[in-house]
Amino acid sequence: GDSVTQMEGPVTLSEEAFLTINCTYTATGYPSLFWYVQYPGEGLQLLLKATKADDKGSNKGFEATYRKETTSFHLEKGSVQVSDSAVYFCALSPSGQGFSFIFGKGTRLLVKP
Amino acid sequence: DGGITQSPKYLFRKEGQNVTLSCEQNLNHDAMYWYRQDPGQGLRLIYYSQIVNDFQKGDIAEGYSVSREKKESFPLTVTSAQKNPTAFYLCATQGWEETQYFGPGTRLLVL
């Protein structure tokens, strides 16, 4: 079946460091791909998405490119801030099944000043 | 002000008691979802509804029940049959676009 695999955390970085959180997926067809962010005690917020191969989603300095050849959607940010500390979830919506989402287990990011 | 509201923010359940978590939305979205999140874990789907008066079981429906009498509302009842209910419960909605939007969550604790 379809699945999403994220790198395990926690990921600990110093402020202004470069961030990469790896996400790979298994799916048939052409799923849509998403990154969500969850701050402590809150719900998930959509960070960015991409709906077809080679699309780049971006928001608040974060970017991810839909790579069908490597089945990946890695999250990157050039310079992280303490306020980016949160849990990040990669997710996919299988093609042709608009009401079904599959989430990764989440990666905790801790940014130290 | 459009959005998804969940109440209460914290809920305490006594042994053998049923409790109901509220989820309301004014986004005019057709689909609504309930997820359970345990510490350090991802999201697990409990129930979902694509349209009023219809809903389907997710991966962990045992010990839970739902109703969808109105488009705006999708309450979740945690029954006494759910032996380990302590978790963070998230409600989500989805409209015509392939994106799910989440409420702020309810934390359920057992006394």
Side-chain angles (χ1 to χ4, degrees), chain A residues 31-32 34 36 38 41-46 49 51 87 89 93-101 103-106 108, chain B residues 6 9 30-31 33 35 37 40-43 45 48-50 88 90 94-95 97-105 107:
Chain A
S32 294
F34 305 81
Y36 285 84
Q38 184 180 35
E42 298 184 7
L44 276 67
Q45 300 175 26
L46 177 67
K49 69 178 184 180
T51 57
V87 180
F89 290 91
S93 176
S95 55
Q97 299 178 42
F99 293 98
S100 174
F101 264 56
F103 288 87
K105 292 189 174 182
R108 181 174 300 280
Chain B
Q6 291 188 242
K9 188 172 177 66
D30 285 316
Y33 304 79
Y35 293 93
Q37 186 178 28
Q41 300 295 314
L43 278 66
L45 183 63
Y48 65 101
S49 169
Q50 297 182 11
F88 192 50
L90 288 161
Q94 184 173 340
E97 58 173 334
E98 266 189 310
T99 302
Q100 289 194 5
Y101 297 92
F102 286 80
R107 188 166 300 280

Side-chain angles (χ1 to χ4, degrees), chain A residues 76-103:
Chain A
E76 297 181 336
K77 187 175 185 183
S79 175
V80 292
Q81 305 300 312
V82 172
S83 57
D84 294 326
S85 297
V87 180
Y88 292 82
F89 290 91
C90 185
L92 71 82
S93 176
S95 55
Q97 299 178 42
F99 293 98
S100 174
F101 264 56
I102 296 168
F103 288 87

Side-chain angles (χ1 to χ4, degrees), chain B residues 47-59:
Chain B
Y47 268 98
Y48 65 101
S49 169
Q50 297 182 11
I51 198 166
V52 174
N53 292 322
D54 187 49
F55 49 83
Q56 284 78 41
K57 293 181 179 180
D59 301 319

Side-chain angles (χ1 to χ4, degrees), chain B residues 2 12 31 35 41 53 60 73 80 82 92 107:
Chain B
F12 298 90
Y35 293 93
Q41 300 295 314
N53 292 322
I60 57 164
S73 179
S80 57
Q82 172 50 245
R107 188 166 300 280

